[in-house]
Protein backbone atom coordinates (compact mmCIF):
# COMPACT_ATOMS: atom_id res chain seq x y z
CA UNK A 1 0.00 0.00 0.00
CA UNK A 2 1.29 3.43 -0.93
CA UNK A 3 0.53 6.25 1.52
CA UNK A 4 0.86 10.00 1.00
CA UNK A 5 1.33 12.24 4.06
CA UNK A 6 0.68 15.90 3.18
CA UNK A 7 1.06 17.54 6.58
CA UNK A 8 3.34 17.13 9.59
CA UNK A 9 2.63 14.12 11.78
CA UNK A 10 4.84 12.43 14.37
CA UNK A 11 7.98 10.84 12.95
CA UNK A 12 7.21 7.76 15.03
CA UNK A 13 3.93 7.32 13.17
CA UNK A 14 5.64 7.51 9.80
CA UNK A 15 8.29 5.05 10.94
CA UNK A 16 5.64 2.66 12.25
CA UNK A 17 3.90 2.61 8.87
CA UNK A 18 7.23 1.92 7.14
CA UNK A 19 8.05 -0.82 9.65
CA UNK A 20 4.67 -2.36 8.87
CA UNK A 21 5.67 -2.59 5.21
CA UNK A 22 3.88 0.42 3.78
CA UNK A 23 5.48 2.72 1.24
CA UNK A 24 5.18 6.20 2.73
CA UNK A 25 5.83 9.47 0.90
CA UNK A 26 5.93 12.61 3.03
CA UNK A 27 5.29 15.68 0.89
CA UNK A 28 4.64 18.68 3.11
CA UNK A 29 3.29 21.99 1.79
CA UNK A 30 2.46 20.41 -1.54
CA UNK A 31 0.89 22.92 -3.95
CA UNK A 32 -2.74 21.95 -4.73
CA UNK A 33 -2.07 21.47 -8.44
CA UNK A 34 0.82 19.10 -7.75
CA UNK A 35 -1.32 17.14 -5.27
CA UNK A 36 -4.04 16.78 -7.89
CA UNK A 37 -1.45 15.50 -10.37
CA UNK A 38 0.00 12.79 -8.10
CA UNK A 39 -2.91 11.63 -5.91
CA UNK A 40 -3.81 8.87 -8.39
CA UNK A 41 -0.60 7.05 -7.36
CA UNK A 42 -1.72 6.52 -3.75
CA UNK A 43 -3.92 4.05 -1.88
CA UNK A 44 -4.18 6.23 1.23
CA UNK A 45 -3.66 9.86 2.19
CA UNK A 46 -3.04 11.29 5.65
CA UNK A 47 -3.88 14.96 6.23
CA UNK A 48 -4.39 17.32 9.11
CA UNK A 49 -6.44 20.49 8.66
CA UNK A 50 -4.97 22.29 5.63
CA UNK A 51 -5.29 19.73 2.83
CA UNK A 52 -8.81 19.66 1.41
CA UNK A 53 -10.17 16.29 0.35
CA UNK A 54 -12.97 17.39 -1.93
CA UNK A 55 -14.80 16.20 -5.05
CA UNK A 56 -12.08 17.53 -7.37
CA UNK A 57 -9.33 15.61 -5.59
CA UNK A 58 -11.38 12.43 -5.24
CA UNK A 59 -12.15 12.50 -8.97
CA UNK A 60 -8.43 12.08 -9.63
CA UNK A 61 -7.73 9.65 -6.79
CA UNK A 62 -8.57 6.46 -8.70
CA UNK A 63 -6.67 4.14 -6.31
CA UNK A 64 -7.59 5.85 -3.02
CA UNK A 65 -9.07 3.54 -0.38
CA UNK A 66 -8.56 5.49 2.86
CA UNK A 67 -8.40 9.14 3.90
CA UNK A 68 -6.98 9.64 7.38
CA UNK A 69 -7.25 12.86 9.34
CA UNK A 70 -4.59 13.20 12.02
CA UNK A 71 -6.70 15.24 14.41
CA UNK A 72 -10.24 16.00 15.47
CA UNK A 73 -13.05 16.57 13.05
CA UNK A 74 -13.38 15.94 9.36
CA UNK A 75 -14.44 19.39 8.17
CA UNK A 76 -11.80 19.36 5.41
CA UNK A 77 -12.93 15.97 4.09
CA UNK A 78 -15.99 15.50 1.86
CA UNK A 79 -17.20 12.35 3.60
CA UNK A 80 -20.24 12.01 1.33
CA UNK A 81 -18.05 12.00 -1.78
CA UNK A 82 -15.68 9.51 -0.13
CA UNK A 83 -18.55 7.20 0.82
CA UNK A 84 -19.99 7.37 -2.68
CA UNK A 85 -16.66 6.05 -4.00
CA UNK A 86 -16.17 3.42 -1.30
CA UNK A 87 -13.33 5.37 0.31
CA UNK A 88 -13.09 5.11 4.09
CA UNK A 89 -12.67 8.45 5.91
CA UNK A 90 -11.24 8.22 9.44
CA UNK A 91 -9.91 10.61 12.06
CA UNK A 92 -8.18 10.51 15.44
CA UNK A 93 -10.68 12.20 17.77
CA UNK A 94 -8.73 11.57 20.98
CA UNK A 95 -5.35 12.63 19.63
CA UNK A 96 -5.16 15.95 21.45
CA UNK A 97 -6.84 15.12 24.76
CA UNK A 98 -3.62 15.57 26.73
CA UNK A 99 -2.87 18.93 25.12
CA UNK A 100 -6.38 20.16 25.91
CA UNK A 101 -6.08 18.97 29.53
CA UNK A 102 -2.68 20.64 29.92
CA UNK A 103 -4.09 23.91 28.55
CA UNK A 104 -7.06 23.75 30.93
CA UNK A 105 -4.77 23.17 33.93
CA UNK A 106 -2.42 25.91 32.78
CA UNK A 107 -5.27 28.40 32.41
CA UNK A 108 -6.69 27.47 35.79
Amino acid sequence: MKILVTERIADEGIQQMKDDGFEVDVKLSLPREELLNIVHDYDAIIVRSVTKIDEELLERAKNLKVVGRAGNGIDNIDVTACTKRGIIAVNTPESNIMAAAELAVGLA
Side-chain angles (χ1 to χ4, degrees):
M1 179 176 266
K2 195 169 178 184
I3 302 170
L4 175 62
V5 178
T6 63
E7 297 173 61
R8 169 114 344 254
I9 64 170
D11 292 334
E12 295 84 5
I14 293 168
Q15 189 58 51
Q16 182 66 53
M17 289 184 286
K18 289 179 179 179
D19 291 347
D20 288 343
F22 297 108
E23 183 180 340
V24 181
D25 291 338
V26 178
K27 298 187 179 198
L28 308 178
S29 303
L30 200 59
R32 174 75 177 183
E33 205 49 49
E34 188 176 340
L35 174 60
L36 292 173
N37 289 331
I38 67 169
V39 71
H40 62 84
D41 290 333
Y42 294 93
D43 301 295
I45 186 169
I46 297 175
V47 301
R48 289 190 56 129
S49 57
V50 174
T51 305
K52 304 298 180 213
I53 306 298
D54 56 14
E55 187 72 39
E56 179 184 27
L57 183 134
L58 294 170
E59 239 344 91
R60 297 183 185 209
K62 301 299 181 194
N63 296 317
L64 202 62
K65 296 165 188 64
V66 178
V67 174
R69 163 82 194 269
N72 290 328
I74 48 174
D75 55 313
N76 57 320
I77 300 171
D78 186 339
V79 177
T80 302
C82 286
T83 302
K84 188 168 59 174
R85 290 174 170 78
I87 298 169
I88 299 168
V90 297
N91 67 345
T92 56
E94 296 180 9
S95 62
N96 65 348
I97 288 175
M98 289 301 291
E102 289 168 353
L103 176 63
V105 170
L107 291 174

